[in-house]
Amino acid sequence: MTTDDATSDLNAVIDLLWSPAPTPRRGPKRGLDLPDIATAGITIADTDNLGAVTMQRVAGALGVTKMALYRYVRGKTELVALMTDVALGEPVTLDTNADWRTALSAWAHAMIGRFGQHPWTQETTTGTRAIGPNEIGWLEQALAALDGTGLTGSEKLDVAATLAGHARAIAQQASASVGISPEQGLHTIFAMVLRDHAAQFPALTAALDSGTDDGRDQAFDFGLDRILDGIELLLKQRR
């Protein structure tokens, strides 16, 4: 595929997300709408993972032929972009009276909640791709929370990317730990390995022995607080 082709395809997906056609691109009168199509794909992805989503299967779930579905979306790239924006949903409403740290903490907690609810979005929200109005709305909320901090536009974008990346990484850990929390799972594995190899890994052994396990996964909140601490320190240094 040439650069021009890739740009054309990207523009087509953006047009679908931001200016959905009021009628099918071809064929008879509209019988479906884009939210219906997205919801059918989301249901399949939530149940059987993203790889199970095909035009044929989504069409079957909607009770139409695959060719009928093509009148609304040109292929899986458009379908997944549509699914992603619908699955993320409208951004969390932040307290406009809250300080930036409180607002961003609420934003990050809401973000990891969406990633956990639809684990396949952890994959579809990375890389260069078309981004829909809901996802842009999430970004807008994070940037607005940083108004008045003195950070540059690029720095605000980096903060949002860092927080989203942290939420995505922890959500991935949770998604891969079926039936057990990520931290509990790791502790169990470490204990099994170190049972016969503790002397080889004294630092890890000491950390596990001195740690307090209250049954909670603390990695997300710990990492989030350290990210916010770093931003706060930067702002203090500039002042």
Side-chain angles (χ1 to χ4, degrees), residues 10 19 31 36-37 56 65 68 105 118 140 161 166 178 222 224:
L10 187 60
S19 302
D36 288 339
I37 295 170
Q56 180 68 57
T65 65
S105 179
H118 305 289
E140 175 70 14
H166 177 59
V178 180
F222 181 85
L224 175 60

Side-chain angles (χ1 to χ4, degrees), residues 3-136:
T3 301
D4 288 344
D5 289 338
T7 301
S8 177
D9 288 346
L10 187 60
N11 284 332
V13 182
I14 290 174
D15 286 343
L16 177 75
L17 293 173
W18 289 88
S19 302
T23 57
R25 289 170 174 149
R26 58 186 182 277
K29 184 178 178 181
R30 173 178 291 272
L32 298 172
D33 58 33
L34 295 180
D36 288 339
I37 295 170
T39 299
I42 289 168
T43 300
I44 294 169
D46 286 348
T47 304
D48 297 326
N49 71 51
L50 189 62
V53 177
T54 64
M55 295 291 283
Q56 180 68 57
R57 186 163 176 187
V58 171
L62 293 167
V64 300
T65 65
K66 185 168 68 172
M67 290 307 298
L69 188 59
Y70 278 119
R71 297 176 189 144
Y72 300 85
V73 291
R74 298 194 306 176
K76 189 169 179 178
T77 298
E78 286 192 1
L79 175 60
V80 170
L82 182 64
M83 289 166 49
T84 298
D85 204 58
V86 172
L88 289 178
E90 294 185 1
V92 61
T93 300
L94 301 178
D95 183 357
T96 56
N97 295 318
D99 61 272
W100 67 265
R101 181 167 183 144
T102 301
L104 287 183
S105 179
W107 184 90
H109 276 92
M111 179 62 72
I112 195 174
R114 299 295 170 91
F115 282 143
Q117 185 178 3
H118 305 289
W120 51 273
T121 60
Q122 300 157 20
E123 174 186 348
T124 63
T125 53
T126 60
T128 302
R129 60 202 162 75
I131 298 178
N134 284 335
E135 190 172 357
I136 289 289

Side-chain angles (χ1 to χ4, degrees), residues 136-201:
I136 289 289
W138 280 87
L139 178 59
E140 175 70 14
Q141 289 280 48
L143 299 182
L146 292 166
D147 281 349
T149 60
L151 292 177
T152 67
S154 294
E155 289 169 339
K156 291 177 182 178
L157 288 168
D158 288 341
V159 169
T162 300
L163 291 174
H166 177 59
R168 185 183 295 107
I170 299 301
Q172 287 173 336
Q173 292 267 3
S175 298
S177 304
V178 180
I180 188 172
S181 72
E183 289 185 16
Q184 289 176 325
L186 283 175
H187 276 259
T188 299
I189 297 299
F190 287 150
M192 294 170 64
V193 171
L194 295 178
R195 185 169 50 212
D196 299 320
H197 304 283
Q200 189 177 351
F201 305 100

